[in-house]
Structures are given as C-alpha cells and as structure tokens.
Amino acid sequence: MAELLDGKLLSTKIKEDLKLKAAEFEAKYCRKITLAVILVGENPASCVYVKNKIKAAEFIGIKSLSFSLPENTEEKDVEDLINNLARDKSVDGILVQLPLPKHLDEEKILALIPPEKDVDGFTAENVGNATLFKDCVNSCTPAGIMYMLKSINVPLSGKHAVIIGRSNIVGKPIALMLLKENCTVTVCHSKTVDLKSITKQADILVVAMGKAKFVTSDMVKDGAIVIDVGINRTETGLCGDVDFETVKDKASYITPVPGGVGPMTIAMLMYNAYTCALRRENV
Ligand code: NAD
C-alpha cells in the first residue's frame, strides 16, 4: 500500500514559511510583494484556479492585482495591459491565466512579460535557462513535483523516470528537471507505441495527459513512485489521470487528486513571486 504524497499538507507548510518571508520583505523594503493576475474570459476551471491563486496570495501577504477581461477582449488591449504592468515598478510578477480565448495569440502575449516578472516561468528566456540548467524562474507544476519528490528523501540519481505527456507546462519541463537530478528520462506521448511496456519500467512515473483514470495498475511497476498531474472533471467529481484505487496498492508513493500536485503548483507560484520580488531588489 503506497504512502500518500500529501500536496495539501506540504503546500500549507511552504505557504506558512512564505508568510514569514513576505512579512520580512515588507519590513525591509517598505512595500508588499505584488502579483498581477490576468484572466481573459470565463473558463470555469480558469476562474477556480485564479480564485485559488488570489486566496493563497492573500494568506501569505502578497498583494494581488486582479484583471478580469471579457472573453472578446482584443489582442491590443491585453498587450497594452501587460506592457503597462511590465513598466510598473511596483509589480513583481505578471501571471496570464491559460488557456487564453482562441482569437488571442498566446505565444505573442506571453513574450511581452519581462523574464524577471515571469512568475510562471513560461517565457523563452526562462525556458532556455531551464534547458541549460541555469538559474531561472522554474515552471510551477514541475517545480512542485520536484519539491514533493525531494520531500521523501528517496535518491533520484540513476532512477528511470517515465513521463506521459509532452506539454510545455508540464511534460517537457519536468523531463528536464528530472534529467538535472541524474534520472534516466523517457518522455511518452500520444504517438508512443506500446505505452505500457515503457511505463512498466518506471521507477518514477509522472502522468500529465488529461485522461481520467487512464493509468491502471497493470501499467505500473511494483514500488514505483506515481505522480498524477491530471485534473479531470467527471460526473462523480474531480479525478486524476491515474486509477488511484488500484494503483495505490502497487506504488510506493502516490499523489492524490485533488490534494496532490494542484496545491503544490500554487505554492510554487507564490514562491516564484517572492523570488522575483527579491531579485528585483537585487538580492
Ligand atoms: P496537454 O493537454 O497539453 O497535453 C496532453 C499530453 O498527453 C500530450 O503531450 C499528449 O501527447 C499526451 N497524451 C494524450 N493522450 C495520450 C495517450 N493515449 N498516450 C500517451 N500520451 C498521451 O497537457 P497538460 O497541459 O500538461 O495537462 C495534462 C493534465 O494535467 C490535464 O488534466 C491538466 O488539467 C493537468 N494539469 C494539472 C496541473 C496541476 O497543477 N495539477 C497543471 C497543469 C496541468
């Protein structure tokens, strides 16, 4: 029976620590850490994520500037807003909640965020530095996964890590982070042939595909560490990409959904806002 990797508990500890650090920052620099959050449209999942991010910021003592723009906002207006926030010396971080409505050019919009205010770590400069294993703002979800893995003190070096999914926000950056820790990394995706034969070799299995309960126990090696990134809304509520009930009996550690990777993503976002603020004060 697997041990639970409790992201809710771990993220609460991180946020409590950040609360102290944010208060120290405010006392030293006579200003609050400030995070601008931009939401375009009313995608229900995005609205929930933004609400949770603002709630976490409030708890820590980070000031959030919330911009909710209508679905039909023109590209130029989003660009103007980001350019203004980029120039605004009181703003430490800029977050654009994805996905954006289809008529907006995501790549062009994200490129307007200065790398030093890029709390999501999505800009080309931060992604490039991550690839070179250089200092950068790390993408939040993979950073949260690495934090969880390190919290259990299991050596990562030499482990075979298998990732299902090759998205820019999860699959690719977690592959790099695990590689940096000397794992042997295999990245699988929708065109992978005989997925099960690969996942069965995984000491660490990270699943980020967006398919409810897709990974079943026959796809998992005995004693594997299983990280479920998926968030799927079904008739019976939220579930991950892993069939938790059966896989938990085979894995050594497993993340629940909800309460696993999700809260860690938000905690890492808050950590990024704090480190961006420190760097902007030349610390
Ligand atoms: P995505 O939706 O951009 O891409 C899905 C990936 O899964 C693709 O690379 C695709 O090749 C792969 N895939 C799909 N079907 C497959 C199959 N049958 N076999 C092998 N690979 C397959 O991915 P994303 O944006 O990384 O999101 C993945 C999931 O993670 C979603 O459920 C999303 O909601 C969730 N997510 C959660 C968090 C969090 O904080 N917990 C953060 C980001 C994403």
Side-chain angles (χ1 to χ4, degrees):
M1 175 81 172
E3 223 174 286
L4 208 61
L5 279 169
D6 188 338
K8 201 161 178 223
L9 188 70
L10 204 53
S11 67
T12 302
K13 286 186 188 149
I14 297 168
K15 285 188 286 183
E16 273 164 2
D17 180 49
L18 282 174
K19 192 174 186 166
L20 301 176
K21 288 192 162 84
E24 278 169 23
F25 181 96
E26 192 175 342
K28 191 160 177 194
Y29 300 107
C30 302
R31 67 179 189 88
K32 270 190 183 296
I33 299 168
T34 302
L35 175 65
V37 182
I38 302 170
L39 173 67
V40 189
E42 283 167 10
N43 175 320
S46 294
C47 292
V48 173
Y49 296 144
V50 163
K51 204 177 97 200
N52 289 341
K53 287 168 186 178
I54 290 173
K55 203 167 131 199
E58 252 167 40
F59 173 81
I60 292 165
I62 292 176
K63 179 177 166 187
S64 51
L65 306 173
S66 174
F67 299 90
S68 288
L69 309 178
E71 179 86 24
N72 60 358
T73 304
E74 284 181 26
E75 175 129 346
K76 165 104 179 40
D77 294 332
V78 184
E79 289 175 12
D80 286 349
L81 173 61
I82 297 178
N83 285 331
N84 285 337
L85 293 167
R87 277 190 296 268
D88 188 334
K89 288 194 168 54
S90 71
V91 172
D92 296 295
I94 303 171
L95 179 155
V96 177
Q97 184 64 43
L98 301 180
L100 286 168
K102 288 209 166 41
H103 68 283
L104 298 174
D105 183 339
E106 199 165 284
E107 209 177 309
K108 195 171 162 207
I109 286 172
L110 291 180
L112 296 174
I113 302 173
E116 68 276 13
K117 294 190 180 188
D118 171 27
V119 279
D120 264 328
F122 288 164
T123 58
E125 183 167 326
N126 279 315
V127 173
N129 281 333
T131 309
L132 297 169
F133 297 162
K134 279 167 68 176
D135 192 33
C136 64
V137 183
N138 278 311
S139 186
C140 303
T141 301
I145 295 171
M146 293 311 294
Y147 198 103
M148 287 179 125
L149 288 174
K150 288 183 179 175
S151 76
I152 53 176
N153 286 321
V154 172
L156 299 177
S157 181
K159 293 275 175 1
H160 186 187
V162 174
I163 297 149
I164 313 183
R166 57 175 163 182
S167 69
N168 289 339
I169 62 168
V170 189
K172 284 188 214 164
I174 190 64
L176 282 167
M177 287 181 194
L178 288 163
L179 192 60
K180 191 177 177 191
E181 294 300 324
N182 300 317
C183 287
T184 301
V185 179
T186 306
V187 181
C188 303
H189 46 81
S190 55
K191 301 285 186 283
T192 296
V193 175
D194 197 3
L195 182 66
K196 184 170 149 183
S197 71
I198 302 169
T199 58
K200 280 186 82 164
Q201 298 173 38
D203 301 309
I204 300 166
L205 181 61
V206 180
V207 191
M209 56 198 302
K211 297 229 155 99
K213 301 185 183 181
F214 184 95
V215 172
T216 44
S217 67
D218 56 319
M219 298 171 73
V220 177
K221 177 174 158 179
D222 265 326
I225 299 172
V226 179
I227 308 288
D228 189 354
V229 186
I231 302 175
N232 304 290
R233 287 170 170 77
T234 66
E235 279 172 6
T236 49
L238 280 191
C239 74
D241 292 345
V242 174
D243 183 23
F244 183 87
E245 282 311 314
T246 59
V247 173
K248 75 177 188 329
D249 295 329
K250 217 159 180 200
S252 57
Y253 291 92
I254 189 167
T255 59
V257 178
V261 176
M264 291 302 291
T265 298
I266 295 183
M268 291 299 115
L269 173 72
M270 296 300 129
Y271 176 78
N272 282 351
Y274 168 67
T275 52
C276 284
L278 277 186
R279 279 184 204 157
R280 293 187 62 252
E281 293 292 347
N282 293 319
V283 182

